[in-house]
Amino acid sequence: MVHRVPRALRRASAVAALCGALAVGGCTASDGEDGAAPDRSTAPSATGPGGEAKVELPEPGIGFDYQIGGAYPPPGGVEAVSRDRTAKPAPDVYNVCYVNAFQAQPDAADWWEEHAPDLVLRDDDGTPVVDRDWDEILLDTSTAAKREQLAGIVGKWIDGCADAGYQAVEADNLDSNERSDGLLTADDNVAFGKLLAARAHAAGLAIGQKNAASLARQGRELGFDFAVAEECGQYDECGEYADAYDDRVFVIEYRADGLAAACAQWGDRLAVVLRDLDVVPQGESGYRRRTC
């Protein structure tokens, strides 16, 4: 089951998105608080699957805020935030960097067509396969060679997250095969996810599985460290993530009944937050945030 929020509001400008694809290091947006990354030398850590640098794992059940639609100072009690990769990390909290790893941002489609057309998933007529709900072209994870090439591009974004001072990355659209008209399989995406996990660990970052509850156990085995789950309370899926990731799960609900369900069953174990569907920054019209 797919539960995702609109991505048009998840990004900075098209210029930032495109230059991020071309040269991540020089394209960090200026929104968000200034300040050096906090010292977390005593935080829980894990070693990557190949014995790479240790990475910091998020604590289960900590206060969480989902800010991928725009950065703002974390509310009181928040110890972890997720922000778009074009935003600076917040000071003195655990920072998760949002990366759209399996699909292309709407404003980046032209870049992919110009610079990496062979990595765009296409139907028998050569037309790009599009996630119509979000106007995103799918990336082609169907062969080992293409997965390696994609990992080179997305890997630079992951390295950019590490350079910016993030502690972790969430790789969105692990479930893009469900929107591929049968051209991709879950195994294709899991194989690509394994490459991303290795790249994140090599950069010193933890990596989170985004949605795809049915793949939670498999995701943990291939190297993901935690989960970011949209509406798992709404659809009674939180347990699959909690079991796979030892309660290291960030839950985002968009409806009051979903929040109530998540809080009733998981509020004392998982990090749960209610956000508005467009995840707009605090102070903008439509902003909504509640916790258990």
Side-chain angles (χ1 to χ4, degrees):
M1 189 173 294
V2 179
H3 325 297
R4 298 177 301 136
V5 304
R7 289 187 173 77
L9 298 176
R10 288 185 172 189
R11 297 296 179 278
S13 66
V15 173
L18 291 174
C19 73
L22 290 165
V24 170
C27 295
T28 301
S30 61
D31 57 332
E33 296 76 24
D34 294 327
D39 179 5
R40 299 181 176 275
S41 57
T42 60
S45 62
T47 302
E52 302 93 340
K54 286 187 176 182
V55 301
E56 178 190 349
L57 302 183
E59 291 283 355
I62 59 178
F64 174 61
D65 198 18
Y66 206 47
Q67 299 187 1
I68 62 174
Y72 53 90
V78 168
E79 300 174 80
V81 300
S82 182
R83 290 179 170 180
D84 186 79
R85 67 183 180 88
T86 60
K88 291 181 180 180
D92 303 320
V93 299
Y94 187 91
N95 285 273
V96 181
C97 186
Y98 175 93
V99 171
N100 193 356
F102 293 79
Q103 297 183 182
Q105 291 308 114
D107 51 20
D110 289 343
W111 183 92
W112 285 95
E113 288 286 11
E114 179 179 355
H115 296 278
D118 292 344
L119 301 182
V120 175
L121 186 67
R122 301 179 188 276
D123 61 20
D124 291 341
D125 296 326
T127 302
V129 178
V130 178
D131 178 349
R132 298 296 178 186
D133 288 337
W134 317 110
D135 194 27
E136 296 180 356
I137 59 175
L138 273 62
L139 303 179
D140 191 349
T141 63
S142 63
T143 70
K146 290 185 177 184
R147 291 191 290 268
E148 289 286 350
Q149 293 178 68
L150 285 169
I153 295 172
V154 179
K156 291 181 180 178
W157 303 344
I158 291 172
D159 292 346
C161 294
D163 292 342
Y166 283 88
Q167 287 76 47
V169 60
E170 60 163 302
D172 201 7
N173 286 314
L174 177 63
D175 54 4
S176 68
N177 59 286
E178 297 178 9
R179 300 176 289 281
S180 71
D181 298 329
L183 297 174
L184 300 177
T185 68
D187 287 343
D188 293 331
N189 280 2
V190 165
F192 182 44
K194 186 174 183 179
L195 296 179
L196 298 181
R199 182 67 173 251
H201 290 154
L205 297 178
I207 184 168
Q209 171 183 331
K210 181 68 169 292
N211 296 332
S214 64
L215 298 178
R217 181 61 60 184
Q218 197 171 357
R220 179 66 183 270
E221 292 171 353
L222 66 87
F224 284 102
D225 303 298
F226 63 95
V228 179
E230 291 175 300
E231 299 193 289
C232 69
Q234 187 75 43
Y235 295 95
D236 194 22
E237 297 173 337
C238 297
E240 297 173 69
Y241 298 109
D243 290 345
Y245 290 104
D246 301 324
D247 291 351
R248 289 186 170 90
V249 183
F250 295 118
V251 178
I252 306 100
E253 299 292 334
Y254 301 109
R255 292 169 48 176
D257 51 346
L259 177 68
C263 290
Q265 189 167 3
W266 301 102
D268 61 342
R269 291 174 55 181
L270 309 183
V272 181
V273 65
L274 173 77
R275 284 301 326 268
D276 53 280
L277 190 60
D278 292 330
V279 288
V280 299
Q282 188 176 35
E284 291 191 8
S285 177
Y287 170 82
R288 181 175 62 160
R289 181 182 185 274
R290 287 169 51 196
T291 59
C292 297

